Amino acid sequence: MKCLAIISGQFLSLIYTLSGVFTELLVEDGLDTPIFQVAWQYVFIFAVYITIILVKKQHLEWGQVWKFLLASLTDSQGNFLVLLGFQYTSVTSVFTLGNTSIIMVMCLSIVFLKTKFTVWEYGGAALALVGAACIVVSDLWSSGWVWGGSFFGDMMVLVGTLLYSM
C-alpha cells in the first residue's frame, strides 16, 4: 500500500512538472491559457477521485463535501497563480519557489496543529528559505532592481504556494 502511495505521488509530481514545462512552451509561443490548463487538471483529478468513490461505494456527507470544496478552491487558485507566474518569471524560479510550500506547511502546522519540529528540520527550512530569497534577489538584480516583471511572477508563485499549503 505504501509503495502505491509513493508511485502515485511520483506520478503526480511528473504530471505537475510536465504541466509547468507545457505552460512555459505555450507562453513562449504567445498562447496564454492558464485558466484552460487549470480546468483540465481538475477535470482529470475529479475523474480519478469520483471513480475511487464509486468503486469503493463510499457515501459523502455534506460535512465532508464542503471541506473538499474549500480545499479545491484554495488549490485551484494557487495553481492558477503559479501558472500565471510562468508569464513573468523563469521556469527555474517557479519550480524553486514552488518548494517554499514545505516551509509554509511547517509554519501552518506550528500555528494550527501545534506541531514540534527538530532543530534539523528548522535548519532545513531556513536553508530552503535562504534559497528562495536568493532566487527573488537574483530575479530583482537581473531586471535592474525593477519591482515588476520577474519579481511580480515570483510573488505570484509565493502566494500560490501559500494557497497550496492551506
Side-chain angles (χ1 to χ4, degrees):
M1 190 64 162
K2 288 183 181 182
C3 184
L4 181 62
I6 291 171
I7 291 171
S8 298
Q10 292 301 310
F11 181 69
L12 288 174
S13 294
L14 175 67
I15 290 172
Y16 176 70
T17 303
L18 290 174
S19 171
V21 170
F22 184 65
T23 299
E24 183 68 22
L25 292 172
L26 287 175
V27 168
E28 286 176 5
D29 285 343
L31 186 60
D32 178 22
T33 60
I35 293 175
F36 180 73
Q37 289 176 259
V38 170
W40 278 107
Q41 288 177 5
Y42 288 99
V43 165
F44 290 131
I45 291 170
F46 173 78
V48 167
Y49 282 107
I50 202 69
T51 303
I52 290 170
I53 288 169
L54 292 174
V55 167
K56 290 185 175 184
K57 296 180 181 170
Q58 294 177 337
H59 299 286
L60 292 176
E61 299 173 8
W62 177 247
Q64 295 172 320
V65 172
W66 77 267
K67 292 176 186 176
F68 283 120
L69 291 175
L70 185 61
S72 298
L73 180 67
T74 58
D75 187 67
S76 64
Q77 295 309 304
N79 200 354
F80 174 73
L81 284 173
V82 170
L83 286 175
L84 205 57
F86 277 99
Q87 293 180 4
Y88 298 97
T89 192
S90 67
V91 173
T92 305
S93 293
V94 171
F95 282 120
T96 304
L97 292 173
N99 292 323
T100 59
S101 63
I102 296 167
I103 300 166
M104 294 178 193
V105 166
M106 281 181 72
C107 292
L108 291 170
S109 296
I110 291 167
V111 172
F112 294 108
L113 303 175
K114 309 295 185 225
T115 304
K116 305 286 185 199
F117 293 102
T118 66
V119 173
W120 291 105
E121 290 165 330
Y122 284 119
L127 186 63
L129 192 59
V130 168
C134 288
I135 289 289
V136 172
V137 169
S138 172
D139 283 346
L140 274 172
W141 184 40
S142 68
S143 67
W145 298 100
V146 176
W147 295 88
S150 293
F151 178 75
F152 184 63
D154 292 348
M155 292 302 108
M156 278 198 269
V157 172
L158 288 173
V159 171
T161 57
L162 174 62
L163 292 171
Y164 280 155
S165 302
M166 293 171 146

